[in-house]
Amino acid sequence: MSTEEVKAGLDALMSVGVAEIVLSGGNPLLREDIGEIIEYASRRFITTIYDNGSMALKKIDSLYDADFVAISLDSLDEKKNDYMRGVNGAWKKSTEAIEKLHEAGISVGVAPTITQLNLYEMEGFTRYFVEKGLPVWYAVYSHDYEDSLFGIGVRNDELEIVDNTEMVKLCDTLLRMKKERNGIFITDKTLLAVKELFLTGNRKWRCRALQNFVMVNHLGEASGCHLYAPAAQVTELPEVWNSRKFNALRAQYSNCQKCRYVCYLFYSIHRGIYGSIEILQDQLKNARSLFSEMYEPKRIVA
């Protein structure tokens, strides 16, 4: 998509009631026009940028306009992190980006993906960063399927969580830690749903794709989530959002059992205005801290 096409897509999303935008990838910071896009998005939405650590420092001036920047980091162990990421030097780039963005006053957080390889260190990993004033929010490893809007990766059995007991224990640990300190960006309701999934295999939620969230790829094609083929162009959403076709897709998505992506789970269990109230109540301490930072001047331009 060109810059103007991206802006038109953002306008369309705003017109159907979207309040928050997450720019992820791949890596959105590879775009030469990313600064203009972030500035445009941040005037209309709560805007979060994901980066794997490779581009954040090169595009740091563009990131001041973002509300949040999430840097992928999976382990405090350099070799393990690089092995999981499949890139030598990934740990050094991510840790440097986290430190420098934090020093620059940008609202940066650490975004680990929980897998079998780092499951046992997540408590210590979380404690390390929140004690430094750096929030942590989580993904749980899940592999993709064919015929999707876009692919995130291929199946890796080495990363698949097989120690369900330890995963349940981690959920309980994070629930306890949340009461003790700020900076753990996952709600109790989400943790309890993940715990139930690993404890019993039961999903306590129905997917709310095309209701509470929508995905858009680099071509401007939109779908309820990235695991399904495109349903419309993003600029067409205002015309088709309440259509019979989209209502049928919502019914299809609500019965989907494919994934355990925490972001989709989160937006599915926290629904509508009551869901927003739940999130605010759960994350009130974090929200107070973040808003105090967000409304301070982020930089002085001479």
Side-chain angles (χ1 to χ4, degrees):
M1 301 173 73
S2 68
T3 309
E4 292 308 312
E5 287 171 334
V6 172
K7 290 180 179 179
L10 291 171
D11 290 342
L13 291 169
M14 186 172 64
S15 73
V16 297
V18 170
E20 177 183 2
I21 290 287
V22 177
L23 300 177
S24 186
N27 195 328
L29 296 183
L30 289 170
R31 290 188 62 114
E32 293 183 1
D33 59 356
I34 192 60
E36 185 176 351
I37 290 171
I38 293 173
E39 191 276 334
Y40 192 86
S42 66
R43 287 190 278 114
R44 291 158 174 80
F45 313 95
I46 299 170
T47 303
T48 298
I49 313 299
Y50 270 79
D51 176 54
N52 59 13
S54 65
M55 295 295 297
L57 294 182
K58 298 176 183 178
K59 298 292 181 75
I60 190 169
D61 286 344
S62 300
L63 298 177
Y64 284 98
D65 287 320
D67 294 297
F68 305 103
V69 179
I71 303 295
S72 302
L73 187 73
D74 295 327
S75 176
L76 295 175
D77 183 311
E78 181 176 353
K79 290 183 179 179
K80 182 192 291 186
N81 182 86
D82 289 2
Y83 178 77
M84 291 174 62
R85 286 279 154 185
V87 178
N88 290 330
W91 185 90
K92 287 183 178 179
K93 288 183 178 180
S94 290
T95 53
E96 183 182 9
I98 291 165
E99 180 181 351
K100 297 296 184 184
L101 293 182
H102 186 57
E103 290 175 354
I106 293 170
S107 295
V108 61
V110 186
T113 297
I114 303 171
T115 74
Q116 184 61 38
L117 294 184
N118 64 3
L119 176 59
Y120 304 100
E121 67 170 286
M122 271 298 108
E123 177 181 355
F125 180 99
T126 299
R127 197 178 303 278
Y128 176 84
F129 284 108
V130 297
E131 288 180 354
K132 289 178 174 291
L134 290 158
V136 182
W137 56 91
Y138 310 84
V140 176
Y141 174 75
S142 183
H143 58 85
D144 284 351
Y145 299 80
E146 297 178 359
D147 191 31
S148 58
L149 184 70
F150 56 84
I152 290 180
V154 295
R155 179 170 179 164
N156 184 337
D157 290 338
E158 193 175 19
L159 301 179
E160 193 82 34
I161 296 174
V162 295
D163 190 345
N164 289 2
T165 300
E166 186 65 25
M167 186 66 199
V168 169
K169 179 182 176 182
L170 176 61
C171 290
D172 285 334
T173 298
L174 293 177
L175 285 165
R176 185 186 71 251
M177 290 176 67
K178 283 184 62 195
K179 297 177 182 179
E180 301 169 354
R181 63 196 73 233
N182 296 343
I184 299 175
F185 279 24
I186 187 169
T187 64
D188 287 3
K189 201 169 181 179
T190 304
L191 282 169
L192 290 170
V194 173
K195 176 183 175 179
E196 178 72 15
L197 179 64
F198 280 90
L199 187 64
T200 68
N202 295 327
R203 295 164 62 99
K204 298 181 67 175
W205 72 95
R206 283 184 175 271
C207 183
R208 301 279 292 184
L210 278 189
Q211 299 176 69
N212 289 11
F213 58 91
V214 61
M215 302 293 290
V216 182
N217 68 9
H218 63 294
L219 301 175
E221 298 168 327
S223 183
C225 85
H226 78 280
L227 296 173
Y228 285 90
Q233 287 295 125
V234 61
T235 51
E236 297 172 343
L237 290 180
E239 287 72 42
V240 301
W241 191 254
N242 295 313
S243 66
R244 183 178 298 178
K245 173 186 176 181
F246 266 44
N247 286 334
L249 286 172
R250 291 180 181 109
Q252 175 187 350
Y253 296 152
S254 70
N255 291 316
C256 180
Q257 302 284 311
K258 278 188 176 182
C259 83
R260 58 188 186 195
Y261 284 99
V262 172
C263 53
Y264 298 160
L265 187 165
F266 173 83
Y267 288 113
S268 294
I269 64 176
H270 293 291
R271 304 195 301 247
I273 185 64
Y274 295 109
S276 299
I277 293 171
E278 288 173 347
I279 295 166
L280 182 59
Q281 289 175 333
D282 185 284
Q283 294 284 313
L284 187 58
K285 290 190 297 182
N286 288 326
R288 286 171 176 163
S289 175
L290 283 170
F291 280 119
S292 67
E293 293 178 6
M294 287 166 62
Y295 285 103
E296 289 178 358
K298 291 187 177 180
R299 58 175 171 175
I300 297 172
V301 179

mmCIF file of all heavy atoms in Angstrom, residues 117-153:
data_model
loop_
_atom_site.group_PDB
_atom_site.id
_atom_site.type_symbol
_atom_site.label_atom_id
_atom_site.label_comp_id
_atom_site.label_asym_id
_atom_site.label_seq_id
_atom_site.Cartn_x
_atom_site.Cartn_y
_atom_site.Cartn_z
ATOM 1 N N LEU A 117 10.695 -23.467 25.469
ATOM 2 C CA LEU A 117 12.106 -23.206 25.721
ATOM 3 C C LEU A 117 12.346 -22.114 26.767
ATOM 4 O O LEU A 117 13.401 -22.086 27.396
ATOM 5 C CB LEU A 117 12.820 -22.827 24.420
ATOM 6 C CG LEU A 117 12.919 -23.924 23.357
ATOM 7 C CD1 LEU A 117 13.734 -23.432 22.171
ATOM 8 C CD2 LEU A 117 13.539 -25.196 23.929
ATOM 9 N N ASN A 118 11.399 -21.187 26.935
ATOM 10 C CA ASN A 118 11.607 -20.127 27.924
ATOM 11 C C ASN A 118 10.571 -20.131 29.044
ATOM 12 O O ASN A 118 10.555 -19.237 29.890
ATOM 13 C CB ASN A 118 11.640 -18.749 27.251
ATOM 14 C CG ASN A 118 10.317 -18.379 26.593
ATOM 15 O OD1 ASN A 118 9.341 -19.114 26.672
ATOM 16 N ND2 ASN A 118 10.297 -17.238 25.928
ATOM 17 N N LEU A 119 9.714 -21.134 29.055
ATOM 18 C CA LEU A 119 8.616 -21.203 30.011
ATOM 19 C C LEU A 119 9.102 -21.099 31.455
ATOM 20 O O LEU A 119 8.511 -20.380 32.274
ATOM 21 C CB LEU A 119 7.848 -22.516 29.792
ATOM 22 C CG LEU A 119 6.711 -22.859 30.749
ATOM 23 C CD1 LEU A 119 5.636 -21.780 30.729
ATOM 24 C CD2 LEU A 119 6.106 -24.220 30.360
ATOM 25 N N TYR A 120 10.190 -21.783 31.767
ATOM 26 C CA TYR A 120 10.643 -21.878 33.155
ATOM 27 C C TYR A 120 11.334 -20.608 33.648
ATOM 28 O O TYR A 120 11.564 -20.470 34.852
ATOM 29 C CB TYR A 120 11.576 -23.092 33.319
ATOM 30 C CG TYR A 120 10.927 -24.378 32.881
ATOM 31 C CD1 TYR A 120 11.207 -24.925 31.630
ATOM 32 C CD2 TYR A 120 9.998 -25.029 33.696
ATOM 33 C CE1 TYR A 120 10.588 -26.099 31.211
ATOM 34 C CE2 TYR A 120 9.382 -26.203 33.279
ATOM 35 C CZ TYR A 120 9.679 -26.728 32.039
ATOM 36 O OH TYR A 120 9.060 -27.891 31.622
ATOM 37 N N GLU A 121 11.663 -19.703 32.747
ATOM 38 C CA GLU A 121 12.334 -18.478 33.176
ATOM 39 C C GLU A 121 11.421 -17.252 33.122
ATOM 40 O O GLU A 121 11.862 -16.131 33.426
ATOM 41 C CB GLU A 121 13.575 -18.211 32.314
ATOM 42 C CG GLU A 121 13.287 -17.882 30.869
ATOM 43 C CD GLU A 121 14.525 -17.401 30.116
ATOM 44 O OE1 GLU A 121 14.958 -16.257 30.332
ATOM 45 O OE2 GLU A 121 15.059 -18.198 29.321
ATOM 46 N N MET A 122 10.141 -17.426 32.778
ATOM 47 C CA MET A 122 9.275 -16.271 32.587
ATOM 48 C C MET A 122 9.037 -15.483 33.871
ATOM 49 O O MET A 122 8.893 -14.259 33.835
ATOM 50 C CB MET A 122 7.936 -16.700 31.980
ATOM 51 C CG MET A 122 7.895 -16.726 30.471
ATOM 52 S SD MET A 122 8.176 -15.114 29.699
ATOM 53 C CE MET A 122 9.821 -15.341 29.039
ATOM 54 N N GLU A 123 9.005 -16.146 35.009
ATOM 55 C CA GLU A 123 8.830 -15.405 36.261
ATOM 56 C C GLU A 123 10.020 -14.474 36.493
ATOM 57 O O GLU A 123 9.854 -13.279 36.761
ATOM 58 C CB GLU A 123 8.676 -16.362 37.444
ATOM 59 C CG GLU A 123 8.563 -15.626 38.776
ATOM 60 C CD GLU A 123 8.433 -16.558 39.971
ATOM 61 O OE1 GLU A 123 8.341 -17.790 39.778
ATOM 62 O OE2 GLU A 123 8.428 -16.049 41.114
ATOM 63 N N GLY A 124 11.229 -15.011 36.387
ATOM 64 C CA GLY A 124 12.417 -14.189 36.576
ATOM 65 C C GLY A 124 12.557 -13.121 35.507
ATOM 66 O O GLY A 124 12.968 -11.988 35.783
ATOM 67 N N PHE A 125 12.212 -13.462 34.266
ATOM 68 C CA PHE A 125 12.245 -12.523 33.139
ATOM 69 C C PHE A 125 11.327 -11.336 33.437
ATOM 70 O O PHE A 125 11.710 -10.171 33.299
ATOM 71 C CB PHE A 125 11.790 -13.260 31.885
ATOM 72 C CG PHE A 125 11.752 -12.445 30.622
ATOM 73 C CD1 PHE A 125 12.785 -12.515 29.705
ATOM 74 C CD2 PHE A 125 10.662 -11.634 30.323
ATOM 75 C CE1 PHE A 125 12.746 -11.781 28.524
ATOM 76 C CE2 PHE A 125 10.611 -10.901 29.154
ATOM 77 C CZ PHE A 125 11.656 -10.973 28.249
ATOM 78 N N THR A 126 10.108 -11.645 33.871
ATOM 79 C CA THR A 126 9.135 -10.590 34.169
ATOM 80 C C THR A 126 9.616 -9.721 35.315
ATOM 81 O O THR A 126 9.573 -8.480 35.242
ATOM 82 C CB THR A 126 7.781 -11.223 34.530
ATOM 83 O OG1 THR A 126 7.305 -11.989 33.418
ATOM 84 C CG2 THR A 126 6.756 -10.152 34.888
ATOM 85 N N ARG A 127 10.084 -10.339 36.382
ATOM 86 C CA ARG A 127 10.549 -9.590 37.545
ATOM 87 C C ARG A 127 11.702 -8.652 37.171
ATOM 88 O O ARG A 127 11.763 -7.501 37.626
ATOM 89 C CB ARG A 127 10.982 -10.570 38.636
ATOM 90 C CG ARG A 127 11.102 -9.955 40.027
ATOM 91 C CD ARG A 127 11.490 -11.009 41.044
ATOM 92 N NE ARG A 127 10.552 -12.111 41.075
ATOM 93 C CZ ARG A 127 9.400 -12.101 41.744
ATOM 94 N NH1 ARG A 127 9.052 -11.021 42.413
ATOM 95 N NH2 ARG A 127 8.608 -13.164 41.723
ATOM 96 N N TYR A 128 12.615 -9.142 36.340
ATOM 97 C CA TYR A 128 13.776 -8.349 35.937
ATOM 98 C C TYR A 128 13.352 -7.039 35.281
ATOM 99 O O TYR A 128 13.870 -5.964 35.610
ATOM 100 C CB TYR A 128 14.642 -9.165 34.978
ATOM 101 C CG TYR A 128 15.831 -8.427 34.417
ATOM 102 C CD1 TYR A 128 17.018 -8.343 35.133
ATOM 103 C CD2 TYR A 128 15.764 -7.823 33.162
ATOM 104 C CE1 TYR A 128 18.116 -7.658 34.612
ATOM 105 C CE2 TYR A 128 16.845 -7.143 32.640
ATOM 106 C CZ TYR A 128 18.019 -7.060 33.362
ATOM 107 O OH TYR A 128 19.093 -6.378 32.848
ATOM 108 N N PHE A 129 12.399 -7.111 34.356
ATOM 109 C CA PHE A 129 12.036 -5.909 33.605
ATOM 110 C C PHE A 129 11.090 -4.990 34.378
ATOM 111 O O PHE A 129 11.259 -3.762 34.333
ATOM 112 C CB PHE A 129 11.457 -6.291 32.244
ATOM 113 C CG PHE A 129 12.508 -6.717 31.267
ATOM 114 C CD1 PHE A 129 12.643 -8.051 30.899
ATOM 115 C CD2 PHE A 129 13.393 -5.801 30.733
ATOM 116 C CE1 PHE A 129 13.626 -8.452 30.016
ATOM 117 C CE2 PHE A 129 14.388 -6.191 29.839
ATOM 118 C CZ PHE A 129 14.499 -7.517 29.482
ATOM 119 N N VAL A 130 10.114 -5.527 35.070
ATOM 120 C CA VAL A 130 9.185 -4.634 35.773
ATOM 121 C C VAL A 130 9.896 -3.892 36.900
ATOM 122 O O VAL A 130 9.535 -2.759 37.237
ATOM 123 C CB VAL A 130 7.940 -5.384 36.296
ATOM 124 C CG1 VAL A 130 7.133 -5.958 35.143
ATOM 125 C CG2 VAL A 130 8.299 -6.449 37.313
ATOM 126 N N GLU A 131 10.915 -4.505 37.482
ATOM 127 C CA GLU A 131 11.689 -3.806 38.511
ATOM 128 C C GLU A 131 12.527 -2.680 37.925
ATOM 129 O O GLU A 131 12.962 -1.781 38.650
ATOM 130 C CB GLU A 131 12.564 -4.800 39.274
ATOM 131 C CG GLU A 131 11.761 -5.708 40.195
ATOM 132 C CD GLU A 131 12.599 -6.711 40.961
ATOM 133 O OE1 GLU A 131 13.832 -6.778 40.696
ATOM 134 O OE2 GLU A 131 12.041 -7.418 41.814
ATOM 135 N N LYS A 132 12.752 -2.701 36.622
ATOM 136 C CA LYS A 132 13.434 -1.610 35.927
ATOM 137 C C LYS A 132 12.449 -0.568 35.393
ATOM 138 O O LYS A 132 12.849 0.385 34.704
ATOM 139 C CB LYS A 132 14.262 -2.165 34.763
ATOM 140 C CG LYS A 132 15.496 -2.953 35.188
ATOM 141 C CD LYS A 132 16.220 -3.500 33.957
ATOM 142 C CE LYS A 132 17.538 -4.156 34.350
ATOM 143 N NZ LYS A 132 18.537 -3.164 34.812
ATOM 144 N N GLY A 133 11.157 -0.761 35.677
ATOM 145 C CA GLY A 133 10.147 0.163 35.183
ATOM 146 C C GLY A 133 9.753 -0.075 33.747
ATOM 147 O O GLY A 133 9.201 0.821 33.091
ATOM 148 N N LEU A 134 10.030 -1.281 33.247
ATOM 149 C CA LEU A 134 9.699 -1.628 31.866
ATOM 150 C C LEU A 134 8.564 -2.641 31.861
ATOM 151 O O LEU A 134 8.721 -3.756 32.369
ATOM 152 C CB LEU A 134 10.920 -2.213 31.161
ATOM 153 C CG LEU A 134 12.031 -1.200 30.869
ATOM 154 C CD1 LEU A 134 13.362 -1.902 30.677
ATOM 155 C CD2 LEU A 134 11.678 -0.386 29.630
ATOM 156 N N PRO A 135 7.406 -2.298 31.303
ATOM 157 C CA PRO A 135 6.274 -3.232 31.298
ATOM 158 C C PRO A 135 6.520 -4.422 30.387
ATOM 159 O O PRO A 135 7.293 -4.361 29.434
ATOM 160 C CB PRO A 135 5.107 -2.377 30.778
ATOM 161 C CG PRO A 135 5.761 -1.285 29.999
ATOM 162 C CD PRO A 135 7.077 -1.011 30.664
ATOM 163 N N VAL A 136 5.841 -5.515 30.705
ATOM 164 C CA VAL A 136 5.946 -6.753 29.939
ATOM 165 C C VAL A 136 4.558 -7.174 29.506
ATOM 166 O O VAL A 136 3.627 -7.174 30.319
ATOM 167 C CB VAL A 136 6.598 -7.883 30.772
ATOM 168 C CG1 VAL A 136 6.738 -9.153 29.938
ATOM 169 C CG2 VAL A 136 7.956 -7.446 31.310
ATOM 170 N N TRP A 137 4.376 -7.464 28.217
ATOM 171 C CA TRP A 137 3.141 -8.101 27.778
ATOM 172 C C TRP A 137 3.481 -9.283 26.887
ATOM 173 O O TRP A 137 4.501 -9.314 26.232
ATOM 174 C CB TRP A 137 2.145 -7.139 27.146
ATOM 175 C CG TRP A 137 2.561 -6.317 25.979
ATOM 176 C CD1 TRP A 137 2.437 -6.631 24.667
ATOM 177 C CD2 TRP A 137 3.100 -4.985 26.012
ATOM 178 N NE1 TRP A 137 2.868 -5.597 23.878
ATOM 179 C CE2 TRP A 137 3.278 -4.573 24.675
ATOM 180 C CE3 TRP A 137 3.439 -4.101 27.038
ATOM 181 C CZ2 TRP A 137 3.779 -3.315 24.350
ATOM 182 C CZ3 TRP A 137 3.943 -2.863 26.703
ATOM 183 C CH2 TRP A 137 4.106 -2.483 25.376
ATOM 184 N N TYR A 138 2.589 -10.269 26.866
ATOM 185 C CA TYR A 138 2.953 -11.626 26.489
ATOM 186 C C TYR A 138 2.186 -12.135 25.274
ATOM 187 O O TYR A 138 1.038 -11.776 25.044
ATOM 188 C CB TYR A 138 2.672 -12.585 27.655
ATOM 189 C CG TYR A 138 3.248 -12.139 28.969
ATOM 190 C CD1 TYR A 138 2.557 -11.237 29.776
ATOM 191 C CD2 TYR A 138 4.484 -12.603 29.408
ATOM 192 C CE1 TYR A 138 3.086 -10.802 30.981
ATOM 193 C CE2 TYR A 138 5.019 -12.181 30.611
ATOM 194 C CZ TYR A 138 4.316 -11.273 31.400
ATOM 195 O OH TYR A 138 4.836 -10.841 32.590
ATOM 196 N N ALA A 139 2.858 -13.018 24.543
ATOM 197 C CA ALA A 139 2.209 -13.881 23.560
ATOM 198 C C ALA A 139 2.500 -15.320 23.982
ATOM 199 O O ALA A 139 3.458 -15.583 24.705
ATOM 200 C CB ALA A 139 2.744 -13.618 22.160
ATOM 201 N N VAL A 140 1.658 -16.235 23.543
ATOM 202 C CA VAL A 140 1.876 -17.664 23.771
ATOM 203 C C VAL A 140 2.074 -18.315 22.413
ATOM 204 O O VAL A 140 1.294 -18.077 21.485
ATOM 205 C CB VAL A 140 0.696 -18.308 24.513
ATOM 206 C CG1 VAL A 140 0.888 -19.822 24.650
ATOM 207 C CG2 VAL A 140 0.527 -17.677 25.896
ATOM 208 N N TYR A 141 3.113 -19.115 22.278
ATOM 209 C CA TYR A 141 3.435 -19.698 20.972
ATOM 210 C C TYR A 141 2.253 -20.460 20.383
ATOM 211 O O TYR A 141 1.596 -21.263 21.039
ATOM 212 C CB TYR A 141 4.625 -20.659 21.087
ATOM 213 C CG TYR A 141 4.887 -21.390 19.790
ATOM 214 C CD1 TYR A 141 5.478 -20.736 18.718
ATOM 215 C CD2 TYR A 141 4.499 -22.713 19.622
ATOM 216 C CE1 TYR A 141 5.694 -21.383 17.509
ATOM 217 C CE2 TYR A 141 4.714 -23.373 18.417
ATOM 218 C CZ TYR A 141 5.307 -22.704 17.376
ATOM 219 O OH TYR A 141 5.508 -23.346 16.184
ATOM 220 N N SER A 142 2.002 -20.167 19.118
ATOM 221 C CA SER A 142 0.985 -20.879 18.349
ATOM 222 C C SER A 142 1.415 -20.829 16.894
ATOM 223 O O SER A 142 1.933 -19.807 16.434
ATOM 224 C CB SER A 142 -0.386 -20.223 18.527
ATOM 225 O OG SER A 142 -1.394 -20.932 17.844
ATOM 226 N N HIS A 143 1.242 -21.917 16.176
ATOM 227 C CA HIS A 143 1.672 -21.935 14.777
ATOM 228 C C HIS A 143 0.487 -21.656 13.866
ATOM 229 O O HIS A 143 -0.673 -21.733 14.263
ATOM 230 C CB HIS A 143 2.326 -23.273 14.426
ATOM 231 C CG HIS A 143 1.444 -24.465 14.640
ATOM 232 N ND1 HIS A 143 0.551 -24.894 13.695
ATOM 233 C CD2 HIS A 143 1.323 -25.310 15.699
ATOM 234 C CE1 HIS A 143 -0.088 -25.957 14.160
ATOM 235 N NE2 HIS A 143 0.358 -26.226 15.370
ATOM 236 N N ASP A 144 0.786 -21.332 12.613
ATOM 237 C CA ASP A 144 -0.229 -20.883 11.673
ATOM 238 C C ASP A 144 -0.755 -22.002 10.787
ATOM 239 O O ASP A 144 -0.252 -23.117 10.780
ATOM 240 C CB ASP A 144 0.331 -19.757 10.798
ATOM 241 C CG ASP A 144 0.389 -18.444 11.549
ATOM 242 O OD1 ASP A 144 -0.156 -18.381 12.655
ATOM 243 O OD2 ASP A 144 0.986 -17.493 11.025
ATOM 244 N N TYR A 145 -1.757 -21.632 9.998
ATOM 245 C CA TYR A 145 -2.437 -22.562 9.106
ATOM 246 C C TYR A 145 -2.407 -22.009 7.695
ATOM 247 O O TYR A 145 -2.079 -20.850 7.469
ATOM 248 C CB TYR A 145 -3.889 -22.769 9.565
ATOM 249 C CG TYR A 145 -3.988 -23.346 10.955
ATOM 250 C CD1 TYR A 145 -3.848 -22.537 12.078
ATOM 251 C CD2 TYR A 145 -4.210 -24.702 11.148
ATOM 252 C CE1 TYR A 145 -3.923 -23.061 13.356
ATOM 253 C CE2 TYR A 145 -4.293 -25.239 12.435
ATOM 254 C CZ TYR A 145 -4.144 -24.409 13.527
ATOM 255 O OH TYR A 145 -4.215 -24.941 14.789
ATOM 256 N N GLU A 146 -2.784 -22.824 6.750
ATOM 257 C CA GLU A 146 -2.783 -22.400 5.352
ATOM 258 C C GLU A 146 -4.024 -21.554 5.039
ATOM 259 O O GLU A 146 -4.961 -21.477 5.825
ATOM 260 C CB GLU A 146 -2.746 -23.628 4.435
ATOM 261 C CG GLU A 146 -1.466 -24.466 4.593
ATOM 262 C CD GLU A 146 -1.477 -25.686 3.712
ATOM 263 O OE1 GLU A 146 -2.473 -25.894 3.007
ATOM 264 O OE2 GLU A 146 -0.470 -26.430 3.730
ATOM 265 N N ASP A 147 -4.015 -20.927 3.865
ATOM 266 C CA ASP A 147 -5.140 -20.124 3.372
ATOM 267 C C ASP A 147 -5.426 -18.965 4.318
ATOM 268 O O ASP A 147 -6.563 -18.678 4.664
ATOM 269 C CB ASP A 147 -6.401 -20.985 3.209
ATOM 270 C CG ASP A 147 -7.489 -20.241 2.446
ATOM 271 O OD1 ASP A 147 -7.151 -19.407 1.591
ATOM 272 O OD2 ASP A 147 -8.685 -20.471 2.730
ATOM 273 N N SER A 148 -4.378 -18.290 4.772
ATOM 274 C CA SER A 148 -4.555 -17.220 5.732
ATOM 275 C C SER A 148 -4.322 -15.859 5.092
ATOM 276 O O SER A 148 -3.809 -15.744 3.983
ATOM 277 C CB SER A 148 -3.591 -17.412 6.915
ATOM 278 O OG SER A 148 -2.261 -17.458 6.469
ATOM 279 N N LEU A 149 -4.708 -14.823 5.831
ATOM 280 C CA LEU A 149 -4.495 -13.450 5.378
ATOM 281 C C LEU A 149 -3.005 -13.180 5.216
ATOM 282 O O LEU A 149 -2.560 -12.551 4.264
ATOM 283 C CB LEU A 149 -5.111 -12.475 6.383
ATOM 284 C CG LEU A 149 -5.073 -10.998 6.037
ATOM 285 C CD1 LEU A 149 -6.026 -10.694 4.883
ATOM 286 C CD2 LEU A 149 -5.449 -10.144 7.256
ATOM 287 N N PHE A 150 -2.236 -13.627 6.158
ATOM 288 C CA PHE A 150 -0.779 -13.603 6.076
ATOM 289 C C PHE A 150 -0.233 -14.603 7.088
ATOM 290 O O PHE A 150 -0.921 -15.006 8.013
ATOM 291 C CB PHE A 150 -0.199 -12.204 6.339
ATOM 292 C CG PHE A 150 -0.605 -11.595 7.655
ATOM 293 C CD1 PHE A 150 0.082 -11.890 8.826
ATOM 294 C CD2 PHE A 150 -1.672 -10.706 7.722
ATOM 295 C CE1 PHE A 150 -0.285 -11.325 10.032
ATOM 296 C CE2 PHE A 150 -2.054 -10.135 8.927
ATOM 297 C CZ PHE A 150 -1.356 -10.450 10.086
ATOM 298 N N GLY A 151 1.000 -15.010 6.896
ATOM 299 C CA GLY A 151 1.604 -15.996 7.776
ATOM 300 C C GLY A 151 2.543 -15.364 8.780
ATOM 301 O O GLY A 151 3.243 -14.404 8.467
ATOM 302 N N ILE A 152 2.553 -15.887 10.005
ATOM 303 C CA ILE A 152 3.487 -15.424 11.020
ATOM 304 C C ILE A 152 4.687 -16.365 11.101
ATOM 305 O O ILE A 152 5.796 -15.953 11.365
ATOM 306 C CB ILE A 152 2.790 -15.298 12.389
ATOM 307 C CG1 ILE A 152 1.799 -14.128 12.356
ATOM 308 C CG2 ILE A 152 3.794 -15.089 13.506
ATOM 309 C CD1 ILE A 152 1.053 -13.924 13.643
ATOM 310 N N GLY A 153 4.479 -17.629 10.856
ATOM 311 C CA GLY A 153 5.588 -18.565 10.929
ATOM 312 C C GLY A 153 5.131 -19.977 10.625
ATOM 313 O O GLY A 153 3.971 -20.209 10.301
#
